[in-house]
Amino acid sequence: MLQEQLRGTGVALVTPFTASEAIDWNALERLIDHVITGGVDYVVTLGTTGETPTLSSEEKLDLIRFTFEKVNKRVPVVVGVGDYNTADVVKRLASCPLDEAAAILSVAPYYSKPTQEGIFQHYKAIAAASPKPIILYNVPGRTGRNMTAETTLRIAHEVENVIAMKEASGDMLQCMQIIRDKPKGFLVISGDDGVAMPQLACGMDGVISVAANYFAKDFPAMVRAALAGDFETARNLHYRMLEGFDLMFAENNPAGIKAFLHQAGIMENVFRLPVIPATEALQQQIKKYLSAY
């Protein structure tokens, strides 16, 4: 059952670049092997962490195909397809190579700040058009508009082909309202690494994580322990990684996680503008943290 496959740890893959800002396919293959060997349950390509705003349409298609090829069915692959233009999302759902995708992660429309009814109608339209199940994604820090618990639950109960929500509002009360009132089988997935452990304790079904790009073993172990009710183990792992979470998001995502992955020798610390590398001071803090970790 798809919901069981997506219960646990998903990782929002970083997109590595070479010094010339081309996609570094060798580094991406290393990253994919790193996270799967570590123990993540599925991978997400073309999420915000993958710097999708600066990727061309052709690069996005290449990334989807490359990810399918290198994952090679070892774990499910979720593909990010979202935009503020509903008609454009519908068009891309028809043209993207999605045969091997387990599901679509689609961010709430951003920039235009639609009403809650507008958000509902947006998801209703793309769910009807999608060849794959939809995971909602609420991240008001990026979209400029919170998708309320009432809207999420309305979609979950009324719109077919929507199976889950990635909730990254940071509002614990809102999260608990969704968990309490969601339909049976609808997954509620954390999008906040730093509070994922307490959210799992409240009843969330897993995490789509940035930190799992680096903590590919310990983060999934924390999630598995929490889902099994072993909160002593989960807490120990959470607090071991907690400073790392703070450092990853201190300046920018993905600047923080790329600094970690660069320290690990997985990829170059290269970005496309307007994103820039973490400051030298932050990189030194990360280096000091990792030497102790």
Side-chain angles (χ1 to χ4, degrees), residues 42-266:
Y42 60 100
V43 301
V44 179
T45 186
L46 299 185
T48 309
T49 303
E51 294 179 70
T52 48
T54 60
L55 297 173
S56 70
S57 298
E58 293 77 15
E59 286 174 325
K60 290 176 183 178
L61 296 177
D62 289 343
L63 277 165
I64 294 170
R65 296 187 185 101
F66 184 89
T67 303
F68 288 149
E69 178 188 347
K70 298 306 176 183
V71 170
N72 194 25
K73 297 182 171 34
R74 288 177 288 173
V75 297
V77 177
V78 172
V79 177
V81 184
D83 204 294
Y84 48 66
N85 183 339
T86 307
D88 188 57
V89 178
V90 169
K91 185 185 299 183
R92 284 161 55 199
L93 286 169
S95 61
C96 283
L98 299 174
D99 287 350
E100 296 182 52
I104 302 301
L105 177 67
S106 196
V107 68
Y110 48 91
Y111 189 73
S112 53
K113 293 188 176 181
T115 64
Q116 296 301 307
E117 181 64 25
I119 294 171
F120 175 84
Q121 294 297 338
H122 170 84
Y123 278 119
K124 184 178 179 180
I126 66 172
S130 178
K132 296 291 179 174
I134 300 289
I135 301 171
L136 313 174
Y137 181 17
N138 182 39
V139 56
R142 289 189 182 273
T143 65
R145 177 74 78 203
N146 179 50
M147 183 159 55
T148 65
E150 291 77 14
T151 298
T152 299
L153 292 165
R154 183 184 174 199
I155 295 169
H157 283 282
E158 297 181 20
V159 180
E160 293 184 10
N161 207 30
V162 175
I163 61 164
M165 153 65 89
K166 179 184 177 183
E167 172 57 63
S169 67
D171 185 332
M172 289 293 286
L173 180 58
Q174 176 166 298
C175 293
M176 289 186 286
Q177 289 170 334
I178 296 168
I179 293 165
R180 182 191 63 196
D181 297 332
K182 68 184 180 70
K184 184 178 181 181
F186 183 85
L187 301 178
V188 184
I189 301 167
S190 173
D192 287 313
D193 288 321
V195 295
M197 198 278 293
Q199 288 177 329
L200 291 165
C202 289
M204 283 199 178
D205 297 287
V207 189
I208 294 178
S209 171
V210 174
N213 279 281
Y214 181 85
F215 297 115
K217 181 178 179 181
D218 284 350
F219 198 96
M222 179 193 75
V223 173
R224 284 194 297 272
L227 290 174
D230 179 3
F231 288 105
E232 181 176 359
T233 297
R235 276 194 301 271
N236 288 338
L237 288 164
H238 167 77
Y239 285 118
R240 186 173 183 225
M241 294 182 284
L242 185 60
E243 184 182 351
F245 301 154
D246 289 340
L247 293 170
M248 280 180 194
F249 297 99
E251 292 180 357
N252 172 273
N253 176 45
I257 184 59
K258 271 195 175 178
F260 272 75
L261 293 168
H262 179 62
Q263 294 277 357
I266 293 175

Side-chain angles (χ1 to χ4, degrees), residues 243 247 280-290:
E243 184 182 351
L247 293 170
E280 184 61 32
L282 179 57
Q283 291 188 57
Q284 288 303 314
Q285 287 180 274
I286 291 169
K287 185 175 183 179
K288 180 179 179 182
Y289 168 75
L290 291 179

